[in-house]
Amino acid sequence: MWAWIEDQLNGQLLVKVSPLSVGFALLSSAVLAIVPLLTLAKSISRSRALRQSPPGCRRLGLPFNQSNLSDEFDRKYAQGTSPDSKDEDGLPSWRVKALFTYPIKSCRGIELEHADVVSTGLQYDRQFAFAQHTPKGWVCRTLRNAGFERMALIHAEIWIPDPSSPSYETRRPEIRSGGVMIVSYPRVTPSGLLGTIIRTGVMLGLVASRESFTVPLQPETPAEIEIDSPSQPSYPLKPVTIWKDSPLAHDYAIHLPPSLHKYLGFHHPSSSPLTLFRAHSTHPRNIYRNAPRKAQLGFQPQTAFADAYPIHLTLSSHHDVAARCASSLPHLSIRRFRANIIIEGPGPFAEDQWKKVRIGNTDVYAACRTIRCLLPNVDPDTGVRHASQPDRTLKGYRRVDEGDLTNACLGLQLVPGVREWVVRVGDEVRVLETGVHRYIKMLAPGEKVEGV
Ligand SMILES: *[C@@H]1O[C@H](CO)[C@@H](O)[C@H](O)[C@H]1NC(C)=O
Ligand SMILES: *[C@@H]1O[C@H](CO)[C@@H](O)[C@H](O)[C@H]1NC(C)=O
């Protein structure tokens, strides 16, 4: 019987109960109550652990209940304003409205008030990606792939070293790895009585509704692993296919708990063909198509697991799209489009002709328009895929780029004119050059376009 109880708990007892008291409980035939109680206790202690911050670190991003997009549906954003005007608070009326970084491709983003921009885009953006093993090897999976809509509800928190924290110590693994990422996802409950009890616990707030695991932001180098702790995990480098590239990336499979495989629909975690990859700093993907050339910038534009380059979007363009699909999707959030930089002020689709803009003090090139795929059909708050919208609406009137007349465009792909800079909410946006955009379709690996 005891073995049976242990089995129910996957052998992970966090609460010590003496066999005697269990025997007593069995005698009073309350075993069906005890199993769920132990599970509850286990879950409660897990939820406590969840609330504990990684030592020596602070969480990146706005407080959970704050967003610069809280008024995104305000009708005032449907029109443009004059570029040189100021609002009642003295802020330039064309400005950065909100900033997001998406540490795991296709999973929920982190809203920021300011962001460091590094050579691969906003810091931490798309440095991780889930991949599935196929006959062609490891292939990146996104919200576009059938069955992977649930990735929308996977959240990533970035915790970075904070020397002002009382628990900060340079030798801590959390500090040596440059911080950690906590990945959380909705709890999968078993069927039957146990599931009912756990769901009740979640409803009563006794059990966390989400499960989580923690991974290092930077995999340690093999030398450090050998010297300090031979038992440290190492992360083999493997090729992972993303579009037509196959960069080498670190396999973080050892960190994925069975419950995550189950959450993503793989019922036999031991044979699940799923993993999480961490982009390798010296194997980034160079961007050639549409981007300004190295000769012009002085450096080669790169990305980790982003499709091409960080995207930006204006609120008024989004309002225009949202109004046209309002009958199918009454509250189409701009977050569906997963832009890094959201701008307020310019009128709908003014950005279609931008070639160079200044954000704050930094000049930024608009490489091309953003070609839209089916990804925005997934609601970021529920993970539910709409059968056709907003894709159908977009295809109905936004096939505007001569270079690709089969797909809709919304927003621009940006390449900064400097290697590193900082972008802040409230930064003024000025258009320096306008011109014609013509999209260049995907190239074969290694193939380069000149003179774009
Ligand atoms: C957000 O939460 C904090 C702390 O829980 C609270 O003080 C603050 O008023 C909340 N802000 C909003 C906008 O709800
Ligand atoms: C953006 O949001 C943060 C956090 O709520 C707030 O402190 C800041 O004032 C907002 N910025 C603007 C320009 O609205």
Side-chain angles (χ1 to χ4, degrees), residues 228-240:
D228 290 317
S229 42
S231 61
Q232 271 287 316
S234 66
Y235 306 102
L237 279 173
K238 296 178 182 171
V240 52

Side-chain angles (χ1 to χ4, degrees), residues 27 35 41 43 61 67 77 92 103 157 175 194 203 213 215 264 300 386 426 440 444 447 450:
L27 278 178
V35 171
S43 301
S67 168
Y77 295 119
E157 287 174 18
I175 308 303
L194 197 58
M203 258 159 51
F213 62 98
V215 302
L264 286 173
Q300 175 61 52
H386 191 277
I440 296 166
E447 192 181 341
E450 298 304 332

Side-chain angles (χ1 to χ4, degrees), residues 165-307:
S165 153
S167 50
Y168 180 88
E169 259 180 63
T170 49
R171 282 192 60 82
R172 279 190 190 281
E174 292 84 355
I175 308 303
R176 289 200 326 214
S177 62
V180 295
M181 176 169 76
I182 302 181
V183 183
S184 72
Y185 43 97
R187 178 181 293 281
V188 180
T189 52
S191 53
L193 180 65
L194 197 58
T196 310
I197 301 278
I198 294 175
R199 281 189 292 277
T200 309
V202 168
M203 258 159 51
L204 295 174
L206 294 171
V207 179
S209 58
R210 302 176 67 80
E211 302 199 67
S212 69
F213 62 98
T214 302
V215 302
L217 272 185
Q218 303 287 348
E220 289 186 72
T221 66
E224 281 172 330
I225 294 167
E226 265 170 45
I227 295 162
D228 290 317
S229 42
S231 61
Q232 271 287 316
S234 66
Y235 306 102
L237 279 173
K238 296 178 182 171
V240 52
T241 301
I242 168 168
W243 299 108
K244 289 188 174 173
D245 295 334
S246 295
L248 289 177
H250 290 287
D251 186 350
Y252 267 40
I254 47 164
H255 290 294
L256 306 194
S259 58
L260 177 80
H261 295 265
K262 281 197 184 129
Y263 173 68
L264 286 173
F266 299 100
H267 291 286
H268 300 287
S270 59
S271 61
S272 169
L274 183 85
T275 195
L276 177 69
F277 277 107
R278 166 74 167 93
H280 188 280
S281 51
T282 59
H283 296 279
R285 297 163 53 226
N286 290 340
I287 308 173
Y288 298 111
R289 80 194 149 105
N290 296 302
R293 311 259 43 91
K294 187 175 177 181
Q296 185 182 359
L297 296 174
F299 62 93
Q300 175 61 52
Q302 291 171 335
T303 175
F305 291 126
D307 287 347

Side-chain angles (χ1 to χ4, degrees), residues 7-79:
D7 207 35
Q8 295 300 303
L9 300 173
N10 297 324
Q12 290 178 38
L13 285 177
L14 291 188
V15 178
K16 288 265 180 268
V17 179
S18 74
L20 204 73
S21 65
V22 173
F24 177 75
L26 285 177
L27 278 178
S28 57
S29 62
V31 69
L32 286 181
I34 278 194
V35 171
L37 276 178
L38 287 176
T39 309
L40 264 185
K42 179 176 101 170
S43 301
I44 290 169
S45 58
R46 272 226 198 121
S47 337
R48 293 235 170 85
L50 225 177
R51 279 196 293 271
Q52 260 174 20
S53 315
C57 295
R58 67 176 173 83
R59 191 177 61 82
L60 190 79
L62 294 182
F64 287 124
N65 59 355
Q66 288 177 29
S67 168
N68 292 111
L69 288 180
S70 54
D71 64 346
E72 68 165 316
F73 297 113
D74 192 319
R75 291 295 301 156
K76 74 178 177 192
Y77 295 119
Q79 290 98 41

